[in-house]
Amino acid sequence: MAAQQTRQWPGVTPPISLTLPTESELVANDALMAELKRQNNFESSEETEKRKTTLQSIQKITSEFVKVVSKKKGLPQTAIDAAGGKIFTYGSYRLGVYGPGSDIDTLVVVPKHVSRDDFFEEFPLILERLAPPGAIEEMTPVPDAFVPIIKLEFSGISIDLIFARLAVPSVPLALNLKDKSLLRGLDERDLRSLNGTRVTDEILDLVPQQKTFRTALRGIKLWAQRRAIYANVMGFPGGVAWAMLVARVCQLYPQATGSVVIGKFFRIIGKWGWPQPVLLKPIEDGPLQVRVWNPRVYNGDRFHLMPIITPAYPSMCATHNITMSTKTIIVRELERGGDLVDKIFTGQLQWKELFSKHSFFTHDYKAYLSIIAASRTKDAQLVWSGLVESKVRLLVSNLETQGSIEVAHPFNKGFDRVHHCHNEEEVEAVIHGNLNYQAANIKTETTDVVKDPIRNAAAQGNGDDMPMPNGDSETTSNGEDKHTIYTTTYYVGIELVKDGTKRLDISYQTREFRDICLGWQNYKRELNSLNVVYTRNYDLPVDVFDSGEIRPSKPKKKVARKAEPAAVKRSYEVSEIELLSLPAFIVRRPIMQWAALIDESDALRRRLPDRKMG
């Protein structure tokens, strides 16, 4: 016990408790592990070995890649032999919380004479040449991404390859990226690429027991995904942020089991004194003239609502996208999770209750905004929908300024649909949300399942550097004159202030959102469109619900009493919101001029006092 008292535990504060687990806590941890396995959270040992073999192949290909480039640049043989090249992993695989179908985030580190252009020109060719026959099932280079990436399927395993060049003549296999001096002389893209591995390694070094951390993180990650609060782009914490939160609780309870850490997690993080930052260690200075998170110096850092700060130099806020609404949702979910875990530990509930699915579409809201991004070609839609997705949180922030709105809750993924139209009238209906022309043989997919690297790159804020693919509108090849329209719809649930007005004017907020998207320099009105459509809960499409879920039904109209005086003013129900905004924003068709559209909308607005809009 004396040794425990004198041991230096990681963290910016001492532990809250060093108590060893009780028998009941061990039993609860076993039950948690059993439930995680039932939820298919672990992959088989054979699949894990397959991952290791795949990474060994990628390492060999990396070494060959560096040699090929070194020879082309005329280096002497001794320098070629010593040039090296090494891969590092980061993200869920490096943290040890991957499951069936998880990507392997992989960093390729090379010496100074190998450029990023070399990576995108030579690496795919060497991959194709050295990989086993048929191993490369798919490969998509995205050199214009915020963090340039090559996404590929290698022997059935999804690999995300990013690149970093160090200002050193060789990269031996023994190289460790923890040395801050290795960051000297690097450009911003190389620094961003290195950041993932450096942060992941720091997190693992800063938790008292990695096994406990991994168990707890698996549980919290599954909970956050099921509750639809796992998406950095949409204003929720991403994987790294959730990992840092779990790591902080592990520091406070270094002897606890994973199940206890989960229970403490909900209460500690749920009651956290935001905007006090979550830190795993003190913020460090370093050798570079780069920005390090510091609200005393940088005004923008003062507006971070739930700052979770990365431990590796240069420290950054991993949650700068969180808005007032998404913070409210996160805090509510933390409170709910804490109440459930309390009952789990007293035997009133089982762990599966914690991992139940969200009720965003089935119960939470009576009014939604459907944000419909559409394009006439598939390639154009990938870029356009990603660009629109990256701006949804800006719409949410603007909606929060409307006094009647308590919460504007963005769903954490979009819905991809394909439609076949015979004429422009049907196209017009589709881009306004009509699903009558949806292709029957093509299933609706969510953006988290598709995981397209081009869309992800645009969604992560790099749309300005991504060109809109050229191409003619697509028509079917079966002899029929049909236009194929691709749509991606994002949903925002609207919660009104209690006892407030049920009459909303969000025309300014939606118009500004339209202007931002339409103002994108690569927008093409002959290819792309954007509509914001008000949708009642009972009008939501069938494909947003899972099998067995009960769709909201349209409320029955109340029969008016004959004796009711005409002078009595009728109050609005929450489900009968009078929406004062443009019914939709049309930004595609050149024949639809904006002035005419706004004039029409103004005329419509003048007629609204005696009319409800749906």
Side-chain angles (χ1 to χ4, degrees):
M1 189 68 179
Q4 290 184 10
Q5 296 288 350
T6 58
R7 176 178 172 182
Q8 288 293 109
W9 298 98
V12 294
T13 61
I16 293 175
S17 173
L18 296 174
T19 304
L20 293 171
T22 65
E23 186 63 32
S24 62
E25 290 170 349
L26 292 171
V27 170
N29 196 65
D30 290 341
L32 169 64
M33 290 294 291
E35 182 59 35
L36 289 174
K37 291 176 180 177
R38 277 194 291 270
Q39 298 277 353
N40 197 31
N41 203 257
F42 295 86
E43 69 178 11
S44 66
S45 56
E46 293 79 11
E47 286 298 313
T48 299
E49 285 302 314
K50 188 177 179 181
R51 288 179 184 271
K52 293 178 180 179
T53 301
T54 297
L55 287 173
Q56 289 170 1
S57 297
I58 298 294
Q59 175 58 58
K60 291 178 181 177
I61 291 168
T62 297
S63 299
E64 178 64 17
F65 159 66
V66 173
K67 287 181 179 179
V68 168
V69 173
S70 301
K71 288 179 181 178
K72 284 190 173 183
K73 297 196 174 180
L75 270 65
Q77 190 60 45
T78 53
I80 293 172
D81 294 338
K86 182 179 179 180
I87 66 168
F88 297 82
T89 58
Y90 62 101
S92 62
Y93 182 80
R94 178 72 181 97
L95 290 172
V97 293
Y98 55 93
S102 295
D103 298 345
I104 303 181
D105 296 314
T106 308
L107 168 67
V108 174
V109 178
V110 300
K112 61 183 180 181
H113 60 274
V114 181
S115 70
R116 188 174 293 108
D117 288 340
D118 295 328
F119 178 64
F120 283 98
E121 291 171 8
E122 299 289 346
F123 201 93
L125 300 177
I126 297 172
L127 263 173
E128 295 279 9
R129 176 165 59 86
L130 296 184
I136 306 297
E137 301 168 28
E138 185 178 337
M139 180 160 50
T140 307
V142 191
D144 298 321
F146 187 67
V147 177
I149 186 173
I150 296 176
K151 189 173 184 66
L152 67 145
E153 293 287 326
F154 192 108
S155 298
I157 297 173
S158 182
I159 308 285
D160 288 350
L161 286 175
I162 62 175
F163 170 91
R165 174 173 62 172
L166 300 181
V168 295
S170 67
V171 176
L173 292 178
L175 180 75
N176 190 314
L177 294 178
K178 294 179 182 179
D179 184 0
K180 288 187 288 187
S181 67
L182 291 172
L183 304 179
R184 293 181 185 274
L186 306 187
D187 64 23
E188 288 188 11
R189 286 189 170 185
D190 288 328
L191 285 173
R192 286 196 294 264
S193 295
L194 291 169
N195 189 57
T197 296
R198 286 171 46 78
V199 168
T200 304
D201 288 350
E202 284 274 16
I203 292 172
L204 290 175
D205 287 345
L206 290 167
V207 294
Q209 299 183 65
Q210 290 186 8
K211 183 178 179 181
T212 298
F213 165 72
R214 285 171 173 143
T215 300
L217 181 54
R218 282 183 179 273
I220 293 300
K221 185 177 177 180
L222 178 61
W223 162 79
Q225 290 170 335
R226 293 286 171 81
R227 302 306 298 173
I229 54 172
Y230 190 101
N232 180 54
V233 172
M234 286 296 185
F236 297 103
V240 172
W242 288 117
M244 288 189 287
L245 290 177
V246 173
R248 183 65 186 120
V249 178
C250 287
Q251 291 178 339
L252 297 174
Y253 295 89
Q255 307 278 44
T257 63
S259 59
V260 169
V261 168
I262 288 178
K264 300 296 185 183
F265 174 92
F266 287 112
R267 294 313 183 195
I268 289 175
I269 305 303
K271 300 297 182 182
W272 193 266
W274 307 108
Q276 176 184 340
V278 173
L279 300 169
L280 298 183
K281 71 176 190 180
I283 295 176
E284 296 179 347
D285 292 327
L288 308 179
Q289 295 297 317
V290 295
R291 177 169 174 164
V292 176
W293 189 82
N294 188 339
R296 295 179 180 177
V297 176
Y298 302 108
N299 189 54
D301 293 350
R302 299 172 196 167
F303 295 96
H304 294 162
L305 301 178
M306 302 180 76
I308 304 170
I309 310 305
T310 57
Y313 173 82
S315 292
M316 308 172 191
C317 179
T319 46
H320 62 276
N321 287 342
I322 288 178
T323 71
M324 289 298 297
S325 288
T326 54
K327 177 187 175 184
T328 298
I329 299 302
I330 294 165
V331 172
R332 288 178 183 175
E333 288 292 346
L334 288 167
E335 182 178 359
R336 173 188 174 277
D339 292 343
L340 291 175
V341 174
D342 287 348
K343 292 180 179 180
I344 290 170
F345 273 96
T346 58
Q348 300 176 64
L349 294 176
Q350 296 181 331
W351 283 105
K352 67 179 181 180
E353 306 295 337
L354 179 66
F355 306 127
S356 62
K357 188 190 170 186
H358 64 84
S359 53
F360 180 86
F361 294 111
T362 57
H363 180 265
D364 291 352
Y365 303 100
K366 294 184 177 181
Y368 298 82
L369 293 182
S370 302
I371 302 164
I372 307 166
S375 299
R376 291 178 177 256
T377 70
K378 184 175 182 179
D379 290 342
Q381 178 64 3
L382 292 175
V383 178
W384 177 239
S385 62
L387 184 282
V388 172
E389 181 177 336
S390 74
K391 309 303 182 186
V392 169
R393 70 178 183 275
L394 301 181
L395 172 61
V396 169
S397 295
N398 279 339
L399 290 171
E400 292 167 352
T401 66
Q402 217 287 349
S404 298
I405 294 179
E406 180 73 26
V407 168
H409 180 179
F411 192 58
N412 68 335
K413 61 194 77 171
F415 291 79
D416 286 337
R417 302 181 178 99
V418 180
H419 315 260
H420 295 317
C421 304
H422 291 87
N423 52 52
E424 288 299 312
E425 184 178 347
E426 293 180 357
V427 170
E428 202 68 28
V430 164
I431 66 176
H432 283 80
N434 190 310
L435 301 183
N436 289 341
Y437 309 103
Q438 186 173 358
N441 60 333
I442 302 177
K443 181 182 176 183
T444 300
E445 296 280 7
T446 53
T447 52
D448 64 319
V449 172
V450 177
K451 291 182 180 179
D452 187 89
I454 295 175
R455 172 163 45 207
N456 290 344
Q460 288 165 8
N462 203 55
D464 289 346
D465 296 328
M466 299 187 69
M468 177 62 68
N470 291 316
D472 296 327
S473 300
E474 296 178 13
T475 56
T476 56
S477 58
N478 59 359
E480 297 183 39
D481 184 19
K482 290 185 179 180
H483 304 284
T484 301
I485 304 297
Y486 298 87
T487 64
T488 305
T489 304
Y490 303 94
Y491 295 93
V492 178
I494 303 296
E495 177 183 326
L496 300 179
V497 175
K498 291 183 179 179
D499 302 323
T501 179
K502 302 304 183 288
R503 219 162 159 247
L504 295 181
D505 183 353
I506 57 173
S507 56
Y508 170 78
Q509 290 83 357
T510 45
R511 181 180 284 111
E512 184 168 289
F513 171 68
R514 179 266 299 174
D515 288 343
I516 291 172
C517 295
L518 184 64
W520 177 49
Q521 62 186 13
N522 294 321
Y523 161 75
K524 293 185 177 181
R525 64 181 184 178
E526 68 272 13
L527 285 178
N528 313 124
S529 73
L530 175 63
N531 286 292
V532 181
V533 178
Y534 169 62
T535 307
R536 288 186 168 92
N537 59 350
Y538 51 80
D539 288 327
L540 288 168
V542 175
D543 54 16
V544 304
F545 301 94
D546 284 344
S547 176
E549 289 185 332
I550 299 176
R551 295 180 64 196
S553 57
K554 186 174 183 178
K556 295 180 180 179
K557 292 184 178 180
K558 296 180 181 179
V559 179
R561 298 176 181 176
K562 294 182 179 179
E564 183 178 342
V568 175
K569 187 176 180 179
R570 180 175 176 270
S571 62
Y572 285 99
E573 299 293 334
V574 175
S575 60
E576 297 174 326
I577 298 171
E578 186 171 358
L579 196 73
L580 293 176
S581 68
L582 295 180
F585 288 123
I586 307 168
V587 297
R588 178 189 59 81
R589 300 190 65 187
I591 62 172
M592 184 70 76
Q593 299 298 322
W594 272 108
L597 176 61
I598 293 173
D599 289 341
E600 177 186 338
S601 300
D602 288 340
L604 175 63
R605 192 174 292 109
R606 287 193 292 270
R607 297 197 301 270
L608 271 176
D610 298 319
R611 178 181 178 185
K612 291 181 298 177
M613 289 187 61

